[in-house]
Amino acid sequence: VIILFALWISVGCRKNKDEPDTPIEPKEFGIGKFLDNWTCTVNPGKTSNFDIAHFTVWVPNPADVSNLKAIVVLANHSNSNGLGLVYDKAWQDFAKANNVGLLAFRLENLNSKLDMDEMYPEAQKGSGDALLLALEAIANKNNIASIAALPFLFRGYSAGGMFGYNFSAYKPDRVIAFSNIRGWYLNPTSTVNNGIPGLFLIAELDTEQVVDNINPVVRMKEIVQAKRKQGALWSYAIEAHMDHGDDVSKSDELTRLFFSSAMKYRLTNGSNKLVSVPESSGWLGDNTSVLVYSYGNYPTDKSDASWLIDEPFAKKWVSYQDK
């Protein structure tokens, strides 16, 4: 069973006791090498918050990317190699049906003693720029430079969810929507990402791994509830009987519906500029009763409810939480 942050690792090597200590100078931040035409590494800089960074891109038709609308970023749990996510059939089918590309990565920290705030999920501290740089390099190498300017949809599990959440505050103008699946070690963001539809998917039994006395389930609820008081377009949903490392296929299914709706309302043909979505255009969900209402018909305090992007999504939000 995978538990968040259990895979943060430390690395050492055996050396002769008389061998002098030689400091390792960080490589200059920038593109490292291409592992294949669609996969490259990014070297960490002296202040980068990652030690290993590999990125890969998949597009439905490399010969014609003129109809691509966005890039879906698929991110896995802490210190994992998520590159293979771009070959997941369900996500490739989604990409073909919705005219999007896929990007996945392997990001790692080798120092297990780092504070959480220094690690790669903090996208604004280097790892986010690494993603942008890698996408541009891969796009140029394959003569499809236009995709480097496309907006993003972030799907992240565990630490990957934290990365997408933080990226939405770092580059809000590039993010259509994000889905954070069980990524709970979160710091509050400013209001810059309040207008970005955000989905937080919580595992009901995800309570054992506690850092700094923070309960994962409580933390994710608190983050959404505080943002809803500011009018943010955010929601949370709880998947019954599931723990942190359990299967996320149900969460991915809900995420794909969420992304389809988000693209419908936030994109316009021929432009990468994102459209604002009025809070009043959505639906609202009661987080206790799991009943949903159109915005104008919500019976109590609207700021206490989860914001749901449209009626089809609202209905799936309910069924996701069936016990």
Side-chain angles (χ1 to χ4, degrees):
V1 176
I2 301 167
I3 295 185
L4 182 61
F5 303 115
L7 295 180
W8 295 110
I9 57 173
S10 60
V11 196
C13 61
R14 194 182 294 271
K15 68 175 184 176
N16 186 291
K17 65 180 180 180
D18 296 324
E19 183 180 345
D21 290 323
T22 302
I24 300 174
E25 289 295 328
K27 300 175 182 177
E28 183 178 355
F29 178 79
I31 296 299
K33 61 182 180 180
F34 273 82
L35 306 180
D36 58 50
N37 284 345
W38 296 92
T39 308
C40 74
T41 68
V42 175
N43 295 327
K46 293 182 179 180
T47 60
S48 298
N49 66 338
F50 60 89
D51 298 299
I52 295 173
H54 298 176
F55 297 87
T56 194
V57 170
W58 182 89
V59 295
N61 180 10
D64 183 9
V65 297
S66 60
N67 65 343
L68 287 190
K69 299 176 180 178
I71 301 292
V72 178
V73 179
L74 302 171
N76 244 349
H77 60 84
S78 60
N79 275 10
S80 64
N81 185 345
L83 297 176
L85 288 171
V86 298
Y87 303 109
D88 179 89
K89 184 180 184 304
W91 280 110
Q92 287 194 348
D93 289 345
F94 177 85
K96 294 171 185 175
N98 291 274
N99 296 322
V100 298
L102 305 177
L103 183 153
F105 59 70
R106 174 192 178 191
L107 280 169
E108 293 188 28
N109 294 109
L110 301 181
N111 184 356
S112 63
K113 296 181 180 179
L114 288 173
D115 291 335
M116 297 297 180
D117 293 347
E118 298 175 297
M119 293 179 174
Y120 75 79
E122 298 289 319
Q124 68 278 20
K125 297 182 179 179
S127 52
D129 287 331
L131 183 150
L132 295 171
L133 190 65
L135 175 59
E136 182 180 20
I138 294 169
N140 287 336
K141 186 173 183 65
N142 292 280
N143 298 312
I144 50 174
S146 62
I147 74 166
L150 292 174
F152 297 108
L153 293 152
F154 279 89
R155 171 273 185 204
Y157 159 55
S158 194
M162 294 158 54
F163 178 86
Y165 164 83
N166 288 316
F167 195 99
S168 75
Y170 179 49
K171 298 288 184 181
D173 293 340
R174 292 293 301 272
V175 182
I176 301 168
F178 67 90
S179 174
N180 175 0
I181 303 169
R182 306 175 195 171
W184 58 270
Y185 196 91
L186 306 169
N187 293 314
T189 62
S190 69
T191 60
V192 296
N193 57 358
N194 283 9
I196 299 174
L199 175 61
F200 293 69
L201 299 178
I202 302 170
E204 181 185 34
L205 306 180
D206 191 2
T207 58
E208 294 182 3
Q209 183 70 13
V210 175
V211 177
D212 296 338
N213 296 315
I214 298 174
N215 178 296
V217 173
V218 172
R219 184 58 169 175
M220 292 186 76
K221 288 181 180 180
E222 288 177 342
I223 288 289
V224 176
Q225 288 165 347
K227 280 288 192 170
R228 284 294 301 130
K229 294 296 184 184
Q230 302 171 358
L233 309 182
W234 292 13
S235 64
Y236 73 78
I238 299 175
E239 189 174 6
H241 315 304
M242 300 297 280
D243 211 334
H244 188 81
D246 289 338
D247 181 72
V248 296
S249 59
K250 191 175 178 181
S251 295
D252 277 340
E253 182 181 354
L254 184 63
T255 294
R256 284 189 282 269
L257 177 61
F258 178 59
F259 285 173
S260 295
S261 292
M263 284 192 289
K264 185 191 321 181
Y265 302 119
R266 300 213 68 206
L267 296 177
T268 55
N269 289 334
S271 174
N272 292 332
K273 187 175 181 180
L274 300 178
V275 177
S276 296
V277 178
E279 182 184 0
S280 59
S281 70
W283 280 53
L284 296 175
D286 187 306
N287 292 306
T288 301
S289 67
V290 198
L291 296 175
V292 295
Y293 305 82
S294 61
Y295 188 88
N297 289 326
Y298 194 75
T300 56
D301 188 348
K302 293 178 174 61
S303 68
D304 287 336
S306 277
W307 185 86
L308 311 172
I309 196 164
D310 57 19
E311 184 178 6
F313 176 75
K315 291 178 178 179
K316 285 291 186 181
W317 180 84
V318 172
S319 62
Y320 176 86
Q321 301 183 83
D322 286 346
K323 296 188 176 184

